[in-house]
Amino acid sequence: MKISHRRLGGAVAAFGVALTALTACGSGGDSADGTVELSFLVDNSETTLAQANAVADAFNATSTDVKVEVETRPQGTEGDNVVKTRLSTGDMSDVFWYPSGSLLQALNPAQSIADLTGDPVLKDVEEGFLPVVSQDAKVYGVPIGSGTGGGILYNRKVYAELGLQVPKTWAEFTANNDKIKAAGKTAVISTFKDSWSSQLLVLADFYNVQNAAPTFAQDYTANKAKFATTPAALTGFAHLNEVNAKGYQNKGFGSATVDQGMKLLLSGEGAHFPMLTFTLPPLLKDNPEAATDLGFFGVPGTDPAKAGATIWEPAAVYAAKDTEHLAEAKKFMAFVASPAGIDAIKDISAPTGPYRVKGAKLPDDAMQAVKDIQGYIDAGLTAPALEYLSPVKGPSLEQITVAVGSGLTPPAEGAGQYDKDVEKQAEQLGLAGW
Amino acid sequence: MVVDDRPSAGPRAKSAGPGPSRSARRRTGAAQPYSLYLPAGVVYLVIFLVPTAMAFYFSLTRWTLFESQFVGLQNYKDFFAEQSLRISLQNTLVYAVVTSLLKVVFGLLLGVMLTSRLRTTGFLRSVVFFPVLVSTVAVGITFSVLLRPDTGLVDKALALVGVSGTDWLGSAQTALLSVALVDVWKGVGLATVIYIAGILSIPQTYYEAVAVDGGGAWQRFRHVTFPLSWPATYSVVLLSLIGGLRSFDLIWTMTRGGPGFSSDVIASIIYKQYQAGFYGLSTAGNVVLFVLVTALILPLSWYLGKKEVAA
């Protein structure tokens, strides 16, 4: 029995009106001179906002009949809930910026987001990107900004100083860690106060999982494969445990923040930081040396010939299904996902990984870490993170990885806990086969 | 013949005295006074009763904000199967008991001290009460900084006596207790104020009687102050126990239930379900918390209330 909320009667309607009044700013409208104003909802992080303003300004400069106004919402899960509430009450802005992949699946796109399947708005979008903005073979969004690499950020000066080579297998990585530790430095930086950062050794290991078990993502979505019973998937948890057991971590890792971790890495007191590259551009303003001192390699696996990396796809711009200005919204989205749209963003915020628009190239002065990622892409040695291939991602993974990475939970037990967590999420999403 | 020797329960037990009886008053023009309740009743209905009833309903559904699907008691099953539930139940109880005990002990001590004839009483009272005025989130953030290993002020101070390097909030052994102590620091001011009021309302004659019998400070405390400030103890225990059971903001700002699940409490689990978008499950958790708090506080309040009458 499914009940649509609009039918739940007067009480809900009254509640909804109250919510609308609290959260709404209304969608855009027509101004007196005949131009259409589009509202564009983005999160209020410095990087996102700067990019959103840049692309909106560039679009407004070329367009006479459509103007885009940027509107902000909080970041993180609080912002996710704002988006869900506004979509479910029919009060969404005309276009909005939101992650692709498993987070999109939770928005119920068929009911709330305008369908772009086969539309010319997608003409410049790379085909490889489409699956992460699709549900049931319908496409809902266009990429904005650049992708992100997930793996190990390392300090290249420390590597030069200690005569180390970029490791191609986990065994080589461990050998490097031993040397770094012997030199009195932190081998692997952990920042468990920002618990999301504890997941990287598991999530960014997915490239290796896919190499070993090519159908894992499908089987996992269909409830046929589990982390605890797939040896390749279990490896990420084992790595986390090993880093802790061998004493590679920084002192006070339990209450360290990602910012503190980046400082450790930049100063060379720490050599490796399992991280996403989106943390790099904000560093550049005060530490221009980050562009050349910091490099990137994927989480090492077992086969040196296949050493590669896991990639996080860019976020996307979507149009609300009930927007009154769908044609204008598509015009703006086509601009966002075009080389001109990329150019507008490129100057404002350094890319953190590949662009997903045909004809958009990384600038020559891109950060070394980003060039390292591009190297993996050019060699065809990447896989998207699991959350872009499957709608299933348990919400407690970060607490579980903190527990495993702090030596509180053995790796196999942690993987088992995560499997249970995933089961709960799949049930709550109402996925088939769970 | 059996004589009923139970003491009378006081004025409450007897009728209200002269004048027409209550039922007689109720009969005359019954409808009109009740219509005066109507505006308040509507507000109460819309703002409190309807959302409460809806919460109970949504706790039985799988709810994405877009649509809801009735799933019976599945959410409750899921909530009780939550892997961190056992540790969080234990943590919730430990946290509530530790904070209310310490608030009673320190509140009473400070209350006695601040009702004595110290010259700086006024100043000290404001100092003790000050933390109550500060936002909990601000306190949480401040203490997160103070408790950092190596760079934090607490660690530097302890280093002077040779204890150093403890990651107070980042280690599973100390995280919950560290937060509990900060909670006591923040809440003891309120407990103290309640005790000051309680102690000041004790008639001086009792103290004079102790003095006549040759009793000292300890006897004054043991036989007068402590037993006669029982109503204050009762309020402090109840208030801090309820606060402790529902505590969330301080734990969330300082440890987010971490490291791992080691300082999770029920409220933080509920919040995590909400964060994950499991609105029905999170609502079920709230219903569970409501039932738990009621089940603990009602009998306790009844028991303490009985002792109060006895004292």
Side-chain angles (χ1 to χ4, degrees):
Chain A
M1 179 180 76
K2 289 208 169 189
I3 302 170
S4 165
H5 267 200
R6 286 171 198 171
R7 276 183 236 147
L8 248 183
V12 178
F15 191 57
V17 168
L19 267 183
T20 310
L22 285 172
T23 57
C25 308
S27 49
D30 311 297
S31 61
D33 56 355
T35 56
V36 172
E37 253 182 43
L38 285 182
S39 51
F40 179 27
L41 184 69
V42 306
D43 77 66
N44 61 6
S45 74
E46 206 181 320
T47 323
T48 313
L49 192 56
Q51 295 188 34
N53 281 324
V55 77
D57 290 346
F59 175 76
N60 291 344
T62 62
S63 155
T64 48
D65 53 344
V66 186
K67 293 276 176 251
V68 173
E69 280 282 313
V70 174
E71 196 184 304
T72 60
R73 62 167 172 88
Q75 308 162 42
T77 42
E78 194 188 338
D80 293 349
N81 285 323
V82 169
V83 168
K84 283 180 199 167
T85 310
R86 290 188 60 174
L87 281 173
S88 64
T89 53
D91 181 50
M92 195 33 144
S93 58
D94 299 299
V95 284
F96 63 101
W97 173 320
Y98 198 71
S100 52
S102 63
L103 283 172
L104 165 69
Q105 309 288 329
L107 292 188
N108 206 353
Q111 204 181 311
S112 58
I113 299 178
D115 181 6
L116 305 176
T117 319
D119 197 280
V121 69
L122 301 171
K123 128 180 107 62
D124 289 333
V125 179
E126 284 182 8
E127 275 77 26
F129 179 76
L130 296 181
V132 308
V133 285
S134 300
Q135 195 181 51
D136 300 331
K138 287 192 174 146
V139 184
Y140 295 101
V142 296
I144 183 159
S146 62
T148 295
I152 316 273
L153 293 177
Y154 70 104
N155 188 310
R156 298 171 78 222
K157 278 188 165 165
V158 174
Y159 261 53
E161 189 186 312
L162 299 177
L164 302 174
Q165 294 291 320
V166 170
K168 294 197 171 226
T169 63
W170 186 264
E172 288 176 27
F173 181 59
T174 304
N176 281 359
N177 283 334
D178 286 333
K179 284 183 197 149
I180 294 160
K181 196 185 168 195
K185 293 175 186 291
T186 297
V188 180
I189 299 167
S190 298
T191 52
F192 291 170
K193 164 101 190 192
D194 292 322
S195 49
W196 63 267
S197 70
S198 68
Q199 308 170 88
L200 261 293
L201 280 180
V202 172
L203 294 180
D205 195 41
F206 184 69
Y207 168 79
N208 298 315
V209 177
Q210 204 176 36
N211 271 337
T215 59
F216 181 77
Q218 281 161 275
D219 295 347
Y220 172 73
T221 309
N223 194 12
K224 286 180 197 149
K226 298 276 166 202
F227 269 85
T229 51
T230 309
L234 188 55
T235 308
F237 290 91
H239 286 167
L240 253 172
N241 178 259
E242 184 188 321
V243 163
N244 176 265
K246 294 197 169 160
Y248 293 149
Q249 286 158 311
N250 40 310
K251 207 172 160 196
F253 62 87
S255 55
T257 62
V258 169
D259 283 347
Q260 292 170 325
M262 292 307 291
K263 275 187 198 133
L264 265 181
L265 181 69
L266 256 183
S267 69
E269 284 169 59
H272 296 132
F273 193 6
M275 209 358 83
L276 289 164
T277 49
F278 82 86
T279 49
L280 292 173
L283 287 181
L284 289 175
K285 201 166 58 182
D286 295 327
N287 313 279
E289 75 275 16
T292 48
D293 284 1
L294 302 185
F296 171 91
F297 57 85
V299 173
T302 47
D303 183 354
K306 280 191 179 167
T310 307
I311 304 291
W312 268 251
E313 294 285 358
V317 176
Y318 308 94
K321 192 164 200 171
D322 50 10
T323 172
E324 290 159 23
H325 305 295
L326 186 58
E328 290 83 358
K330 281 183 180 172
K331 209 172 151 191
F332 174 60
M333 290 158 86
F335 177 79
V336 166
S338 70
I342 299 291
D343 280 340
I345 285 180
K346 207 185 257 178
D347 302 333
I348 293 298
S349 165
T352 56
Y355 292 114
R356 297 301 241 142
V357 169
K358 290 172 196 159
K361 287 255 177 317
L362 284 182
D364 293 334
D365 61 348
M367 285 173 290
Q368 181 57 43
V370 175
K371 288 180 183 163
D372 291 341
I373 296 168
Q374 192 63 45
Y376 286 118
I377 293 172
D378 294 343
L381 296 170
T382 58
L386 183 55
E387 62 197 81
Y388 297 99
L389 300 174
S390 169
V392 184
K393 182 173 186 289
S396 303
L397 179 60
E398 50 191 272
Q399 282 86 35
I400 295 170
T401 46
V402 164
V404 173
S406 310
L408 300 170
T409 310
E413 196 183 320
Q417 290 174 350
Y418 184 52
D419 286 332
K420 274 183 79 181
D421 190 45
V422 159
E423 202 177 311
K424 181 181 76 184
Q425 191 240 8
E427 275 173 17
Q428 291 285 334
L429 287 181
L431 296 181
W434 291 77
Chain B
M1 197 179 99
V2 179
V3 178
D4 186 355
D5 60 357
R6 277 176 300 174
S8 142
R12 258 181 295 170
K14 298 290 165 216
S15 83
S21 76
R22 243 188 227 172
S23 56
R25 250 180 287 163
R26 202 178 291 150
R27 268 195 304 276
T28 52
Q32 198 232 345
Y34 283 105
S35 66
L36 295 177
Y37 285 124
L38 198 66
V42 167
V43 169
Y44 184 66
L45 184 80
V46 170
I47 308 234
F48 294 101
L49 289 184
V50 169
T52 307
M54 277 169 66
F56 279 97
Y57 169 72
F58 279 120
S59 75
L60 301 174
T61 66
R62 199 164 280 153
W63 181 26
T64 63
L65 291 187
F66 298 100
E67 54 189 17
S68 60
Q69 190 186 356
F70 190 80
V71 293
L73 293 174
Q74 186 60 41
N75 283 330
Y76 290 90
K77 263 192 222 159
D78 282 350
F79 189 78
F80 285 113
E82 189 63 36
Q83 63 143 324
S84 48
L85 186 76
R86 198 156 46 88
I87 184 161
S88 76
L89 262 177
Q90 193 187 325
N91 282 344
T92 308
L93 290 176
V94 167
Y95 188 90
V97 169
V98 166
T99 49
S100 26
L101 265 185
L102 289 180
K103 279 177 194 171
V104 166
V105 171
F106 287 117
L108 184 56
L109 288 181
L110 287 168
V112 170
M113 194 181 100
L114 296 179
T115 45
S116 63
R117 289 191 201 87
L118 283 178
R119 217 182 255 171
T120 48
T121 304
F123 171 71
L124 288 178
R125 280 185 192 179
S126 357
V127 169
V128 170
F129 195 68
F130 168 72
V132 180
L133 306 174
V134 187
S135 129
T136 312
V137 174
V139 169
I141 294 172
T142 311
F143 271 90
S144 300
V145 175
L146 293 178
L147 289 170
R148 262 182 207 158
D150 294 329
T151 52
L153 207 60
V154 172
D155 196 66
K156 285 192 172 155
L158 287 176
L160 296 178
V161 291
V163 186
S164 177
T166 310
D167 195 353
W168 294 103
L169 297 172
S171 137
Q173 284 80 37
T174 52
L176 185 73
L177 285 180
S178 307
V179 180
L181 290 183
V182 175
D183 189 322
V184 171
W185 176 82
K186 176 160 167 47
V188 79
L190 203 59
T192 308
V193 168
I194 295 174
Y195 269 114
I196 289 177
I199 291 169
L200 288 181
S201 70
I202 299 172
Q204 280 301 315
T205 45
Y206 293 110
Y207 291 108
E208 284 157 13
V210 175
V212 168
D213 290 345
W218 170 247
Q219 270 87 5
R220 277 203 301 277
F221 175 78
R222 168 75 184 77
H223 296 289
V224 181
T225 312
F226 183 64
L228 290 186
S229 59
W230 182 255
T233 308
Y234 166 79
S235 311
V236 171
V237 167
L238 271 195
L239 284 178
S240 54
L241 208 55
I242 295 176
L245 288 172
R246 294 184 308 116
S247 66
F248 169 72
D249 36 13
L250 204 57
I251 286 177
W252 195 254
T253 41
M254 291 180 75
T255 66
R256 294 189 183 254
F261 300 93
S262 55
S263 63
D264 255 328
V265 290
I266 296 191
S268 71
I269 294 196
I270 294 171
Y271 187 71
K272 283 182 193 167
Q273 310 306 328
Y274 159 78
Q275 268 195 322
F278 306 158
Y279 305 104
L281 184 59
S282 157
T283 312
N286 273 315
V287 172
V288 170
L289 181 61
F290 169 77
V291 171
L292 181 83
V293 173
T294 316
L296 281 172
I297 296 300
L298 266 188
L300 187 72
S301 147
W302 175 79
Y303 172 76
L304 290 178
K306 224 173 56 167
K307 290 202 63 161
E308 184 182 5
V309 173

